[in-house]
Amino acid sequence: MSTALEVSRARLRLEPKERASLTARIVVPVASVLTATLGGAVVLAIDGHSPLEAYVELFQSAFGGRNPLVRTLLLSTPLVFTALAAAVSFRMRIWNIGGDGQLMMGAIAASGVAIALPRSPFWVLIPAILVAGIVGGMLWAGIGAGLKVFLSTDEVISTLMLTFIATHFMEYLIFGSFSYWRDPESVAYATGKPIPEVAELPRFWGRLHVGFLIAVLAAVLVWWVLKSSRWGYETKVIGDSPTAGRYAGMSVSRNIIAVLCVSGALAGLGGAVEVAGVNHTLQPTALETGVGFTGIIAASMARLHPLMLVPVAVFLSGLVSSGTALQQMGIPIDIVLLLQGLVLLFVAAGEFFLRYRVTLVARRGRR
């Protein structure tokens, strides 16, 4: 199939290419990043800054040393979870864009369990927190799944709206009420109740906690399940052709529910890891927001491959973490955002032309 866009007396035809070679799939992303780097250098030079100094500072502030690398890995941890959530659903052409909301509901559930079981041993409490996060995200995504299967509601709309609901619900719990989650001793500024110290995820390299390792293990597990299990095969078949899946005896509705629930569970696990590993409380202003949408970008850049998501998430987090250092050099925030956007734009463009061929076709005139 092809899509066409009329342009004057001609039209652009978009045709899928055959699977690109391994060399092309390696060279194109690298060339895209290099092209974006050259484009950013031109912008920096025009603005009166040294491109070499700026890029050296960008690398040093993101990956140059223990503390910068730890900060980047901490930022990448929730991004891996939301990127996995997007990759699982997008594989079956189910567009779950509510990773943010599912992460928040996972954080709410995880913090609730943590403050409810303050005297439990760590080997009971930490698994309980992680499971609570999984269940919270899964149930929130399950609402979107039910709306799609039983009411034929577009999952893009439902998961997006559910994200707004989750955001305001979390803010209500801390800022708008004296709920179970709010710390009654905090009067001047509303905060969430701190979780017990025994519920905090152990750290193994500076501030880096085992949540990063959990994210890596989750990526490996998702890769194995999608590659080796019957369910993974069914999601691929249904994603390519729901009609073919039905003809082969696969339940499309059941798989839609399963895919969205698994996707939400992964995002919810990310929320639990943020609460137990970084924030140690439910605090709306401290919880990483927007990471669900960035996870969609990461999943697309990784071509929905679970194992590739980890380095892509680290790369994107490095771009984000270096922003402050570039501003301290005197580079305006607009230029910093432009540099980050150029990388995403060129990488996305490279992936697009790697997969599709654009041709100009003459348009027939009217008789």
Side-chain angles (χ1 to χ4, degrees):
M1 296 182 66
S2 65
T3 58
L5 174 66
E6 294 185 0
V7 179
S8 185
R9 299 295 298 177
R11 62 180 181 175
L12 295 177
R13 176 176 294 169
L14 185 64
E15 299 176 341
K17 292 182 180 179
E18 295 181 0
R19 182 177 175 83
S21 65
L22 178 61
T23 302
R25 283 182 281 146
I26 295 175
V27 170
V28 168
V30 174
S32 299
V33 173
L34 292 177
T35 305
T37 302
L38 292 175
V42 173
V43 174
L44 288 167
I46 292 175
D47 198 53
H49 301 280
S50 169
L52 180 60
E53 291 181 5
Y55 284 129
V56 168
E57 181 61 28
L58 186 152
F59 179 82
Q60 289 291 336
S61 61
F63 307 106
R66 172 174 172 172
N67 289 336
L69 183 56
V70 166
R71 182 173 63 250
T72 297
L73 294 179
L74 284 173
L75 285 174
S76 70
T77 300
L79 183 56
V80 171
F81 286 110
T82 56
L84 285 171
V88 168
S89 63
F90 287 11
R91 175 185 170 92
M92 208 178 83
R93 310 286 176 92
I94 300 297
W95 312 112
N96 174 22
I97 63 171
D100 263 337
Q102 293 144 24
L103 182 142
M104 293 174 193
M105 296 306 292
I108 292 171
S111 57
V113 168
I115 59 182
L117 304 172
R119 294 182 175 83
S120 300
F122 78 94
W123 53 269
V124 171
L125 188 52
I126 289 180
I129 290 173
L130 299 179
V131 171
I134 290 172
V135 173
M138 181 177 64
L139 293 178
W140 202 244
I143 297 174
L147 291 172
K148 181 173 181 61
V149 169
F150 299 110
L151 298 178
S152 300
T153 304
D154 190 328
E155 72 276 11
V156 172
I157 302 299
S158 63
T159 54
L160 178 61
M161 293 299 102
L162 285 167
T163 294
F164 287 111
I165 294 172
T167 301
H168 291 298
F169 178 60
M170 182 172 63
E171 292 176 348
Y172 169 78
L173 291 177
I174 305 303
F175 301 136
S177 68
F178 292 94
S179 69
Y180 176 72
W181 283 261
R182 178 169 170 170
D183 187 358
E185 298 180 2
S186 179
V187 179
Y189 182 74
T191 61
K193 291 179 183 176
I195 65 174
E197 187 174 347
V198 70
E200 298 176 7
L201 292 178
R203 299 174 181 179
F204 64 94
W205 193 36
R207 295 187 301 122
L208 188 62
H209 53 78
V210 299
F212 177 75
L213 300 181
I214 295 174
V216 174
L217 290 174
V220 174
L221 179 61
V222 169
W223 168 77
W224 181 83
V225 169
L226 294 179
K227 181 178 181 293
S228 304
S229 70
R230 176 179 176 180
W231 179 71
Y233 174 74
E234 288 188 2
T235 60
K236 183 68 171 63
V237 171
I238 295 173
D240 292 337
S241 173
T243 303
R246 291 189 185 94
Y247 183 79
M250 301 174 186
S251 172
V252 175
S253 297
R254 183 187 64 201
N255 277 286
I256 289 174
I257 294 174
V259 159
L260 277 172
C261 286
V262 170
S263 178
L266 289 166
L269 179 58
V273 166
E274 282 295 281
V275 167
V278 178
N279 299 328
H280 304 149
T281 185
L282 181 67
Q283 187 63 20
T285 56
L287 193 65
E288 191 73 27
T289 57
V291 71
F293 299 106
T294 309
I296 294 174
I297 297 174
S300 300
M301 290 177 63
R303 304 187 185 106
L304 307 185
H305 195 294
L307 297 183
M308 287 299 297
L309 286 174
V310 177
V312 169
V314 172
F315 172 71
L316 292 179
S317 299
L319 288 179
V320 174
S321 66
S322 63
T324 303
L326 293 180
Q327 291 180 65
Q328 292 174 351
M329 291 180 60
I331 299 177
I333 181 61
D334 295 334
I335 301 297
V336 173
L337 295 176
L338 178 61
L339 295 177
Q340 296 172 351
L342 280 175
V343 174
L344 301 180
L345 176 63
F346 277 91
V347 170
E351 288 298 312
F352 176 83
F353 289 107
L354 191 65
R355 298 182 184 185
Y356 298 98
R357 181 185 298 108
V358 180
T359 56
L360 190 63
V361 181
R363 180 180 163 196
R364 295 181 180 179
R366 296 182 180 178
R367 294 183 178 179

